[in-house]
Amino acid sequence: MLLRISVSMSCGRKALYLVLQLKTPSKTLCFQRILVLQRTIASTAEKFKHIKIAQEVVDSLKTEPISVDVVLEHGKIVTMKLYQAEKYAKTRDLKLMPIKEHNRPIQLFKLVTGSEFFKYEMEQKHAKKAEQETKHHEKRMNITCKIEDHDLYAKLNQVKKWLTKNIKTEVTISFRSNEEDKAESTLSRIEQYLKSEGKIHQKRVKNNLMKFFIIPASSEK
């Protein structure tokens, strides 16, 4: 969802233009941020009479308050306006925690304590970080068929750490024309060492290079 708000400010002969963009896949966060923007712009316009609010912002301030469902302390679900839910939670020193998976037509919240909400925020932060790492990382490892066990296993221990983060590794084993059997032996050592954490995928051999991916054992090919 994209919310675009334009605010023009006249200052002498110059005009300053401020464009606020809100991009978020979460309807809950979007609702909350829209309300914050609405309140901020409205209070700013009241304080500084020379600020001209774009018509689209004025229209947004006239829209009906957003309705949400809230799971109360005793488990009952009630429908109320978002500002009412925020006030209800604040008077009880509680927080509104969005529930992502639900089959209701409007956003569902649950009342939780401050510590529970902090735990939820940390989980969301770690999940987002892990997702970004998974999307943007693909590791590479280049070795020769003559690599010693100590050096090989040191590298594979790092591969194990990547596998726990669902990051695949592209491995290249170089060898001479008469050493392809040594490359196969090195591949066997890798498979044996990582048999519980990873598996070999898309193996190919060309121009004295053996290439393949090491992917998490739970991954689909």
Side-chain angles (χ1 to χ4, degrees), residues 1-4 21-24:
M1 180 177 182
L2 172 63
L3 174 68
R4 184 180 180 90
Q21 289 188 331
L22 173 62
K23 294 181 179 179
T24 173

Side-chain angles (χ1 to χ4, degrees), residues 58 68 83 94 104 128 145 177 186 194 213-214:
V58 176
V68 297
Y83 73 88
L94 298 173
R104 307 183 74 82
K128 184 177 180 179
C145 64
S177 300
T186 302
L194 298 175
F213 288 101
I214 301 176

Side-chain angles (χ1 to χ4, degrees), residues 31 66-70 78-82 85 106-107 109:
F31 292 159
I66 300 167
S67 296
V68 297
D69 284 341
V70 182
V78 299
T79 300
M80 60 179 75
K81 302 303 181 183
L82 181 57
I106 58 178
Q107 179 61 51
F109 289 89

Side-chain angles (χ1 to χ4, degrees), residues 69-80:
D69 284 341
V70 182
V71 182
L72 301 182
E73 299 94 323
H74 46 75
K76 183 180 178 180
I77 299 178
V78 299
T79 300
M80 60 179 75

Side-chain angles (χ1 to χ4, degrees), residues 18-35:
L18 173 63
V19 177
L20 302 176
Q21 289 188 331
L22 173 62
K23 294 181 179 179
T24 173
S26 170
K27 291 182 179 179
T28 302
L29 293 177
C30 187
F31 292 159
Q32 295 173 337
R33 292 179 186 177
I34 288 175
L35 288 179

